[in-house]
Amino acid sequence: MKKFFLMLAVAASAMSASAQEPQTGIGNNKFWDNWYLGANLGVASKTTDQAVLKNLNPEFSLRLGKWFTPSVGIAAEGTFLFDNKVHGASYIDGSFPRAFQFNLLGTVNFMNAFGGYTGSPRSFEIIGLAGIGFGKNSGTDKTQGTNWQINTFNSKLGLDFAFNLGAEKQWQVYIEPSITYEIGGAKRVQKIQYNSNISNLQLAAGVNYYFKTSNGTRHFMNITECDQREIDALNNTINSLRDKNAADQAKIAQLQAEIARLQKALRDCENKPAPECPFEAPVIPNVFYNVNKSLITKQQAENVAVAAQVLKNHPELKLNIKGYASPEGNAKKNQNLSVRRANAVKDLLVKKYGIDESRITAEGCGTTKDMYETYENNRVAMMFFEK
């Protein structure tokens, strides 16, 4: 009896240790989470008064279990024995199966209880089992010719040496040595006790399958609570990005309004006969570039199209293109970049719109930071008309 209460004390200690884990350590464990179903095959033999290996009884068990924490759980197990050699060679039995046991077991994962849960089951774990149940045996005593039936109150103690397999560690195979005591019910048990003379040794090999949980895995999930300072920092970053987004949207709206104005001016000019439209040096939108690039984007190409149309409508005009780079970076590299940006506009006018190359001059003016307040707007090619 002392051994039984000792196992209960160990289980209670493990449960207490789990309860003292940080509240943020383990995710929600709903009722249908962390269940498993298993089966095992093994042999059993009476512990004393007979040769163990010569009197082995085949057995088969089904087990349904649940883990309440990564360290503590419970399982229900039904075991069928197919021989009665556990009671000695003088007994025979014609029934099938020869005996049945049912146990309600408390389970303790010693690796998690003493080493902590890592967020996923270890490849190898040691699991303790201890519990109580009942058994039923029947047979005939060959020496006396009497039939008998025994209903017993049992207690099982065991260890599972388990290996976790699979991509999600959904399979668990194990070797389980155990001992089952008859602690009450039989006539030869006068009082509840743990006596090896009325016990069975068992050795089984089994497999468990873990069902999916509400967190999307097969097991418990560790959750790390964010520090309040981290939350505040993230909120500050979000607010800063929102402010920047609002400013960018306002700038985009301003540029779109300018584009619409220029497109309307272009349409108005196209709809009027050339002699009736007195010439004024048109205001052409600039061509802006991405950082360290001289490629004209689709959006910026619309500004070049405006310049091409003006040149077609006014063959007397010439165009001067000046390329610039923003001030960050190597000066020599920026000078070359400004030249490429100016030439990119000229090439587009010549090759796509058929403008005579002699009417266009392109020059790189290096870096500038004086035209616009932001570096981005200084990555530009500016166009000026000349007579």
Side-chain angles (χ1 to χ4, degrees):
M1 197 65 176
K2 292 181 179 179
K3 294 180 181 178
F4 177 69
F5 285 112
L6 179 60
M7 289 300 297
L8 289 180
V10 171
S13 174
M15 184 177 294
S16 173
S18 177
Q20 293 172 6
E21 292 177 356
Q23 294 182 354
T24 57
I26 303 299
N28 293 334
N29 179 18
K30 299 180 180 178
F31 176 78
W32 293 112
D33 288 345
N34 302 295
W35 286 86
Y36 61 91
L37 180 66
N40 64 62
L41 289 171
V43 291
S45 177
K46 191 172 182 294
T47 306
T48 59
D49 299 331
Q50 68 177 22
V52 173
L53 296 180
K54 292 182 180 180
N55 294 278
L56 297 177
N57 300 269
E59 65 175 21
F60 171 74
S61 298
L62 290 173
R63 183 179 296 173
L64 177 66
K66 173 180 171 60
W67 289 99
F68 299 112
T69 75
S71 303
V72 178
I74 194 171
E77 180 182 73
T79 301
F80 301 88
L81 289 92
F82 302 107
D83 208 332
N84 255 331
K85 294 178 182 178
V86 289
H87 296 288
S90 63
Y91 293 95
I92 60 174
D93 190 349
S95 64
F96 182 86
R98 304 294 192 266
F100 172 76
Q101 294 177 355
F102 176 82
N103 291 298
L104 187 63
L105 304 169
T107 55
V108 178
N109 188 314
F110 292 114
M111 310 296 279
N112 293 336
F114 298 106
Y117 185 60
T118 61
S120 176
R122 295 171 172 84
S123 297
F124 172 73
E125 295 178 324
I126 300 176
I127 301 171
L129 307 98
I132 56 176
F134 66 88
K136 183 174 183 178
N137 296 299
S138 61
T140 301
D141 189 337
K142 293 190 298 184
T143 60
Q144 299 181 10
T146 57
N147 297 325
W148 53 270
Q149 180 172 303
I150 301 176
N151 295 317
T152 60
F153 185 44
N154 302 328
S155 179
K156 178 177 179 178
L157 307 174
L159 282 176
D160 285 356
F161 298 93
F163 298 86
N164 296 303
L165 308 173
E168 298 178 294
K169 295 189 176 177
Q170 68 272 34
W171 294 101
Q172 184 181 73
V173 295
Y174 61 88
I175 300 295
E176 178 183 290
S178 63
I179 184 169
T180 301
Y181 293 92
E182 295 180 8
I183 62 174
K187 292 182 180 179
R188 53 182 172 167
V189 182
Q190 302 300 321
K191 61 180 181 178
I192 293 179
Q193 59 180 319
Y194 284 80
N195 187 337
S196 60
N197 292 320
I198 47 176
S199 66
N200 303 329
L201 290 175
Q202 295 161 302
L203 180 65
V207 59
N208 293 326
Y209 176 77
Y210 284 82
F211 299 100
K212 272 191 175 290
T213 67
S214 58
N215 63 33
T217 70
R218 307 279 178 160
H219 302 279
F220 290 92
M221 179 181 291
N222 281 345
I223 297 176
T224 302
E225 184 180 278
C226 291
D227 184 88
Q228 186 59 43
R229 290 173 297 181
E230 295 178 0
I231 296 175
D232 293 340
L234 289 173
N235 285 333
N236 290 336
T237 301
I238 292 171
N239 291 333
S240 176
L241 290 174
R242 285 175 176 169
D243 293 341
K244 185 177 184 302
N245 180 64
D248 289 344
Q249 291 298 325
K251 184 176 180 181
I252 290 172
Q254 181 182 2
L255 292 175
Q256 288 176 337
E258 178 66 13
I259 292 173
R261 184 187 69 78
L262 292 172
Q263 289 176 337
K264 182 179 182 302
L266 176 61
R267 289 192 299 271
D268 292 343
C269 186
E270 289 175 344
N271 293 332
K272 294 179 181 180
E276 298 178 5
C277 182
F279 172 75
E280 294 181 4
V283 178
I284 301 300
N286 300 325
V287 179
F288 295 94
Y289 295 87
N290 292 327
V291 61
N292 203 29
K293 300 292 183 180
S294 59
L295 178 67
I296 300 174
T297 64
K298 182 178 180 180
Q299 182 180 5
Q300 296 300 314
E302 295 179 0
N303 299 338
V304 180
V306 174
Q309 189 62 50
V310 173
L311 289 171
K312 289 180 179 180
N313 291 342
H314 299 277
E316 74 281 6
L317 295 182
K318 295 184 178 180
L319 183 66
N320 182 20
I321 305 169
K322 296 184 178 181
Y324 295 91
S326 55
E328 69 270 32
N330 180 272
K332 183 176 180 181
K333 181 179 178 181
N334 285 336
Q335 175 61 35
N336 292 334
L337 183 59
S338 69
V339 172
R340 294 201 308 273
R341 286 172 174 171
N343 286 333
V345 177
K346 179 179 179 180
D347 290 342
L348 187 59
L349 289 168
V350 172
K351 295 177 181 179
K352 183 174 181 178
Y353 298 102
I355 305 302
D356 189 345
E357 186 176 359
S358 63
R359 299 175 62 193
I360 304 171
T361 58
E363 59 180 324
C365 300
T367 62
T368 179
K369 61 180 179 179
D370 298 325
M371 290 184 294
Y372 296 96
E373 293 181 359
T374 59
Y375 283 165
E376 291 84 355
N377 291 341
N378 289 301
R379 301 165 189 151
V380 65
M382 303 180 71
M383 295 176 282
F384 302 92
F385 287 102
E386 301 173 351
K387 286 190 176 182

